Amino acid sequence: MAVGIISYGAYVPRYRIRSEEIARIWGDDANIGRALNVHEKSVPGADEDVATISVEAARQAMRRAPTGPDDVGAIYVGSESHPYAVKPTGTIVQAAIDAGPYLTMADYEFACKAGTAALQTGMGLVQSGMAKTVLAIGTDTSQGAPRNALEYSASAGGAAFLLGAERKHILAELHHTVSFTTDTPDFWRREGQKYPSHGERFTGTPAYFRHVEAASQRLMEDQKTKPDDYDHCVFHQPNGKFPVNAARRLGFKEPQWRHGLLAPRIGNTYSGAALLGLANVLDHAEPGDRVFVCGYGSGAGSDAFDCTVTKNILNYDRSEAERLETRLADTTELDYAMYAKLRGKLVMGGNGA
Amino acid sequence: MTVPRFWREIPQRYNLQASKCGACDAIHYPPRTVCPECRRASIGNLEEVKLSGRGTVLESTRVHKAAPGYEAQVPYTLALIQTEEGPVITGQVVDHDGRAVSAGDDVRAVFRRLGEDGDAGVIYYGTKWVLA
């Protein structure tokens, strides 16, 4: 049975802080943004979190969907910054899209790849016939500790994909997925800790590159494809440098990541990163375009996907108002003081005065 | 707010669920169990409807002395919003970045965090508004 994306939605908060503004506060090199290829990152509003971003993305997906909320048989929200330690984000999404109670659900966490894990679970449920449609969401509002290298990249955003099996609805058919997973502690956040920790350079070769490249190579072996066969590639983007290096090492070339690489403009949206890149690719894709996607989550694992855009994309609402680029163009730049206020880094007095 | 009360009000807070009187067609938000105009004639004659989430600002004010829980958001904007279906809703207008919010401005509903019951309590979600 075929399985594919039948609708999608994407949401990135409007606020941005530039890398040189963060560098100004800490006396770092003003060119650090160029080194990381992250020129600015998204910042959530004071009242935005993983639930609100997931709802906005899910509502856009459902608004454009060929099927209704009562057909949703499962909702999976992947994130490492769920608002509750115990209580699902997915139920909030369920209520906000008016989905019925007869569905299955769980929140996922696998650092930055919980969103692609949700996509894989959805593929399985739809392909097996256990669910008519599945809503797979990846969203984060991650924080880096002040002055930590992560502060330049940890950002906010998310995307939602509605998966289904009816060929007349499929916008992008998901042909195959491969995962590569090992116990590699390159990045973590202990219970009760506000900010994550990481292994600095250890996050590179033995972590990100090993897993991304292994999953990607196996996927292309299984599918008997090579990088040239793809019109677009999307890699997890903890910064703007790693995905470009991984893509080049695998044999992809620059035009292939032109729509899938958003980190230079919005930073690392963690569980949302690969999915937002895929959403932006689908906003631009033509029928027949083949898309390569590879997520990565610290800890560590990679999920790679091979999909092809169908002619149904021509009848899908990709009007200006619905495109991710339209949202990314409408931004408000923050200085570090406003950033600290929105991110709750200011210590308020007892009565808030 | 108690958890059961919040839970009961989730449909109207998340999805702007309102009531429509079958006798006079008036729409009320929050939803009513009796139409205040038709009274007895409306009993058993009310249907659930959802507001579209589109509206127009009637009046707005900038709040500098925060309500409890909103201390970190000052200054913030509250507005009376005329929804296109009729009901007038008091709501917070967000993300307008200091630009004036004026009578006649078109707004649309967004899903935001409304508050929380301390550090350990329930988080309340619902509808706020942005300039359309």
Side-chain angles (χ1 to χ4, degrees):
Chain A
M1 190 193 286
V3 59
I5 296 161
I6 62 171
S7 191
Y8 63 96
Y11 183 89
V12 177
R14 63 177 295 111
Y15 300 102
R16 299 285 184 277
I17 184 166
R18 295 190 64 79
S19 294
E20 55 256 42
E21 171 66 4
I22 299 172
R24 180 179 73 83
I25 300 301
W26 303 117
D28 289 337
D29 184 344
N31 289 319
I32 190 167
R34 197 176 306 158
L36 292 168
N37 197 15
V38 176
H39 304 289
E40 56 184 10
K41 68 167 190 173
S42 61
V43 180
D47 53 4
E48 292 186 293
D49 63 18
V50 165
T52 68
I53 292 171
S54 297
V55 166
E56 291 291 342
R59 280 181 171 171
Q60 187 190 16
M62 297 312 298
R63 189 169 65 236
R64 298 194 284 179
T67 57
D70 285 340
D71 287 332
V72 176
I75 298 175
Y76 293 98
V77 182
S79 180
E80 63 108 273
S81 46
H82 289 289
Y84 288 96
V86 177
K87 194 217 163 290
T89 303
T91 55
I92 300 166
V93 175
Q94 172 196 16
I97 64 167
D98 239 353
Y102 289 101
L103 53 74
T104 183
M105 173 186 298
D107 282 0
Y108 277 175
E109 186 279 310
F110 194 143
C112 296
K113 87 163 190 78
T116 51
L119 204 58
Q120 283 182 324
T121 310
M123 283 176 71
L125 288 178
V126 168
Q127 217 156 12
S128 66
M130 284 180 68
K132 187 172 179 187
T133 66
V134 173
L135 194 57
I137 301 172
T139 301
D140 260 305
T141 57
S142 302
Q143 294 234 41
R147 212 187 168 189
N148 189 285
L150 286 176
E151 195 177 20
Y152 289 96
S153 58
S155 65
F161 289 84
L162 188 66
L163 307 180
E166 287 201 51
R167 284 204 176 274
K168 65 181 180 188
H169 294 152
I170 290 176
L171 307 173
E173 184 172 350
L174 292 156
H175 304 299
H176 189 44
T177 180
V178 166
S179 291
F180 181 86
T181 310
T182 72
D183 188 22
T184 305
D186 60 320
F187 170 102
W188 60 92
R189 181 165 62 83
R190 294 271 300 275
E191 185 70 42
Q193 293 294 307
K194 185 170 183 179
Y195 300 117
S197 304
H198 57 88
E200 301 192 349
R201 283 175 175 273
F202 185 67
T203 60
T205 301
Y208 179 87
F209 292 102
R210 177 183 178 212
H211 293 79
V212 165
E213 288 170 20
S216 298
Q217 283 161 348
R218 174 62 68 88
L219 182 80
M220 285 188 276
E221 283 167 25
D222 286 358
Q223 296 297 90
K224 298 180 174 47
T225 55
K226 50 190 185 310
D228 284 351
D229 296 329
Y230 294 93
D231 299 281
H232 307 273
C233 66
V234 182
F235 290 91
H236 173 56
Q237 32 210 281
N239 49 52
K241 188 175 65 172
F242 277 22
V244 170
N245 289 350
R248 285 199 173 118
R249 284 160 63 151
L250 284 161
F252 292 92
K253 297 182 184 69
E254 177 139 24
Q256 290 168 291
W257 60 78
R258 66 194 180 284
H259 299 307
L261 181 64
L262 299 172
R265 287 188 281 165
I266 63 172
N268 179 9
T269 52
Y270 284 58
S271 300
L275 299 189
L276 279 166
L278 176 57
N280 199 42
V281 164
L282 294 180
D283 276 355
H284 292 88
E286 300 291 330
D289 280 3
R290 199 153 182 179
V291 185
F292 185 94
V293 181
C294 186
Y296 170 75
S298 290
S302 267
D303 305 324
F305 302 84
D306 172 26
C307 55
T308 301
V309 177
T310 74
K311 64 180 187 331
N312 296 329
I313 199 89
L314 297 175
N315 298 320
Y316 188 66
D317 182 3
R318 296 189 293 172
S319 58
E320 209 59 31
E322 298 287 1
R323 293 167 88 91
L324 177 57
E325 289 285 4
T326 304
R327 171 158 282 280
L328 295 183
D330 185 18
T331 62
T332 300
E333 197 170 319
L334 304 174
D335 60 15
Y336 196 92
M338 281 302 293
Y339 165 73
K341 180 183 175 186
L342 293 187
R343 292 309 272 142
K345 293 174 191 286
L346 300 179
V347 179
M348 305 294 286
N351 62 359
Chain B
M1 193 188 315
T2 62
V3 171
R5 181 184 156 192
F6 173 73
W7 172 74
R8 277 198 303 274
E9 294 175 351
I10 279 177
Q12 65 205 54
R13 287 174 182 271
Y14 288 15
N15 289 324
L16 296 176
Q17 191 182 88
S19 58
K20 181 177 181 181
C21 175
C24 71
D25 285 343
I27 294 176
H28 295 104
Y29 180 89
R32 304 262 192 169
T33 50
V34 176
C35 173
E37 301 300 322
C38 305
R39 301 189 178 203
R40 187 171 298 173
S42 70
I43 295 174
N45 202 10
L46 290 163
E47 62 170 314
E48 290 177 355
V49 293
K50 260 198 232 174
L51 305 183
S52 65
R54 289 185 291 271
T56 307
V57 172
L58 293 176
E59 289 292 343
S60 72
T61 187
R62 197 95 162 126
V63 179
H64 292 268
K65 191 72 180 170
Y70 284 71
E71 295 86 352
Q73 293 185 41
V74 289
Y76 59 88
T77 300
L78 291 181
L80 288 174
I81 291 149
Q82 173 78 62
T83 61
E84 64 179 15
E85 293 85 358
V88 175
I89 298 176
T90 304
Q92 188 180 350
V93 181
V94 295
D95 285 4
H96 60 88
D97 311 326
R99 285 172 289 165
V101 174
S102 308
D105 284 346
D106 290 331
V107 289
R108 64 179 173 82
V110 292
F111 191 79
R112 294 294 170 98
R113 191 192 268 245
L114 299 182
E116 57 191 25
D117 201 1
D119 287 341
V122 161
I123 303 168
Y124 304 118
Y125 293 95
T127 301
K128 293 188 183 181
W129 304 82
V130 295
L131 294 172

